[in-house]
Every structure is written in structure tokens, then in C-alpha cells.
Amino acid sequence: MTNNQLDQLRHQLDDVNIRLLDMINQRGQLVKQIGDLKKGQGMKAFDPVREREMLDHIIEHHKGPFEYATIEHLFKEIFKAAKELQEDDHRKTLLV
Amino acid sequence: MTNNQLDQLRHQLDDVNIRLLDMINQRGQLVKQIGDLKKGQGMKAFDPVREREMLDHIIEHHKGPFEYATIEHLFKEIFKAAKELQEDDHRKTLLV
């Protein structure tokens, strides 16, 4: 019975992992679109003020169980990954 | 018109951030439940084999735009945060 419960929770965790993955990738696509739009307008892709605004918005909506510092750390890693995605695109453009 | 487009994409990004936040917290709750269940059975909370299985499952479902290595890095950070959550709980139990 208890092992059944553990299996069930693990299945739920696997589902949440895949939904997280989809959302991270969806976020990556959006950041690429924003980067392209900004490049077209001669604007810099990275904007530290906007990054701080996004973090503030996230922190406002946070209810736990994680600490604020953990959430901020995770999102900074997610932001960094998206920045690298834009830089990769830029490097590829230079190589063509 | 283009600034409207930028605003719209930024709103979408804010929405995705909040959905990501909710899912990270939902994942945290699930990991806590699993940890409690395992503790009740005298099992160790952290299982490196299960962590590798979760990563393999995630990687199987990954379609981009991020590189595999980036996704693996982000999920390892998410796993680490959940482990810290369980350790915090354990420390609090010891202090009571």
C-alpha cells in the first residue's frame, strides 16, 4: 500500500518535471523572440533593469515552500541559460 | 506597433515565469511528501539512482531550443533546492 503511494507520488513528480521542462523551453522560445525584436530595433538584448523587475514580480507571487533566496537563485540560473541561448544565436549569425 | 509587440511578449514572459514558479513550488511540496513517506519507512530521502532516472526521463522528452547540458544543469539545481528543503525540515525536527 505504502509502496503504491510512493510510486504514485513519483509518477506525479515525473509529470511535474516534464511540465517544467516544457515551460523552460517555452520560455526559451519567448526570450529568443524578444531578442530578435530588440535586435531589429538596435536595442541590447540584455537589460538588467528588466531582469530585476521580473525577479520582483516573481517574488511577489511566491508562497513557498522554498525560501525567497532559493527561488531567486533558480530564476537567475534560468535567466542565464536564456542569455546564453541568445549569445549562441548571435555567434551563429556571425559565423554565417 | 513594435513596442506593443515587445510589451505583449514581455507580458507572456511574466506569465510563464509565474507558471514556472508555481510548478517549482508544487514540485517542492511533492518532494516533501515523498521524503516524509520514505522517512516513515526508514528509507534515505536522497536516492542518486532515482535522480539519474528522472534526468533520463526529462532528457528523453526534451526538444529544444536549449542544449541538453543546459537542461541537465537547470534540473540539477532544481533537485538540489528540493534536497535542501528536506534537510531544512530534518534540522527543524531535530531542534524541536
Side-chain angles (χ1 to χ4, degrees):
Chain A
M1 183 61 185
T2 319
N3 272 339
N4 245 345
Q5 246 179 306
L6 189 60
D7 280 347
Q8 215 177 349
L9 287 170
R10 281 177 164 170
H11 272 296
Q12 284 182 40
L13 192 59
D14 279 333
D15 284 348
V16 168
N17 285 341
I18 301 306
R19 277 155 64 203
L20 257 173
L21 171 72
D22 287 343
M23 209 143 298
I24 288 170
N25 282 324
Q26 203 178 316
R27 192 184 186 285
Q29 295 288 8
L30 264 174
V31 169
K32 278 180 84 162
Q33 273 179 275
I34 291 173
D36 288 347
L37 202 66
K38 288 172 96 176
K39 204 159 60 186
Q41 296 184 28
M43 291 162 80
K44 273 191 187 167
F46 176 59
D47 177 353
V49 176
R50 169 74 185 138
E51 190 166 302
R52 188 63 254 170
E53 277 172 8
M54 283 197 293
L55 275 176
D56 289 343
H57 185 242
I58 290 161
I59 293 302
E60 260 173 49
H61 286 76
H62 179 54
K63 299 179 205 90
F66 290 106
E67 314 246 341
Y68 285 125
T70 306
I71 291 297
E72 189 157 325
H73 167 71
L74 287 179
F75 272 93
K76 278 186 178 169
E77 291 293 316
I78 292 169
F79 293 172
K80 202 164 73 182
K83 255 185 282 179
E84 282 165 8
L85 200 69
Q86 288 180 321
E87 281 160 15
D88 276 357
D89 265 13
H90 185 60
R91 263 201 300 276
K92 275 176 202 149
T93 314
L94 290 178
L95 287 171
V96 173
Chain B
M1 183 57 184
T2 319
N3 272 341
N4 247 344
Q5 247 178 304
L6 189 59
D7 281 346
Q8 215 177 347
L9 287 171
R10 280 176 164 172
H11 274 295
Q12 283 182 40
L13 193 59
D14 279 332
D15 284 347
V16 169
N17 286 341
I18 301 306
R19 277 156 61 203
L20 257 174
L21 171 72
D22 286 343
M23 208 140 301
I24 288 170
N25 282 324
Q26 202 177 316
R27 192 184 186 285
Q29 296 288 8
L30 264 176
V31 169
K32 278 179 85 163
Q33 274 179 273
I34 291 172
D36 288 346
L37 202 65
K38 288 172 96 176
K39 205 161 56 185
Q41 298 184 24
M43 292 161 79
K44 273 192 186 166
F46 176 61
D47 177 353
V49 176
R50 169 72 185 140
E51 190 166 302
R52 189 63 253 171
E53 277 172 9
M54 284 196 293
L55 275 176
D56 289 343
H57 185 240
I58 290 160
I59 293 304
E60 261 173 47
H61 286 78
H62 180 56
K63 301 181 203 86
F66 290 105
E67 314 246 339
Y68 286 125
T70 306
I71 291 297
E72 190 157 325
H73 167 72
L74 286 180
F75 272 92
K76 279 186 177 169
E77 290 294 316
I78 292 169
F79 294 171
K80 202 165 72 184
K83 255 184 283 179
E84 282 164 9
L85 199 67
Q86 288 181 320
E87 281 160 15
D88 277 356
D89 265 13
H90 185 59
R91 262 199 301 277
K92 274 175 204 151
T93 313
L94 289 178
L95 287 170
V96 173

